[in-house]
Amino acid sequence: MTIKIGILGYGNLGKGVECAVKHNPDMELAAVFTRRDKASLKVLTPGVKVCSVQEAESMKDEIDVMILCGGSRDHAGKSATFPLTITQRCTIILAG
């Protein structure tokens, strides 16, 4: 079984997580979510969807684990405010 990963935030932490996912054959990067303009983001993994943060809820059935990579100062209370439908479907990991 492949674990489908979502990355929220694509700065240094998000890029590092993407590289780690590439080295784990039981993981697959399903999407990268950003607050920036989607067109400006170039991910390293070919074929991976780049989505706005607002699209995360619509992809709840395509992601098993969402890794939040906003930096430590950005995480205060984030998992509590993440849409309930996402948290009921996938695990949230705070990186940073």
Side-chain angles (χ1 to χ4, degrees):
M1 179 177 133
T2 301
I3 301 168
K4 295 179 183 159
I5 305 293
I7 297 174
L8 195 152
Y10 198 69
N12 290 332
L13 286 172
K15 290 174 187 166
V17 168
E18 179 183 20
C19 290
V21 169
K22 283 175 133 180
H23 291 289
N24 288 282
D26 61 341
M27 294 182 179
E28 171 190 337
L29 183 57
V32 172
F33 298 89
T34 183
R35 294 178 289 188
R36 295 186 233 164
D37 174 25
K38 297 187 305 186
S40 71
L41 220 66
K42 304 292 180 228
V43 296
L44 301 172
T45 308
V48 170
K49 295 178 190 177
V50 176
C51 306
S52 69
V53 171
Q54 292 77 17
E55 295 174 85
E57 187 172 0
S58 68
M59 293 191 59
K60 67 181 180 282
D61 295 327
E62 299 177 47
I63 296 172
D64 299 313
V65 176
M66 178 73 82
I67 303 176
L68 305 185
C69 299
S72 58
R73 69 181 178 100
D74 294 338
H75 289 311
K78 280 290 195 305
S79 60
T81 60
F82 215 78
L84 184 58
T85 52
I86 293 287
T87 58
Q88 289 175 333
R89 168 67 179 93
C90 73
T91 301
I92 296 177
I93 298 173
L94 304 177

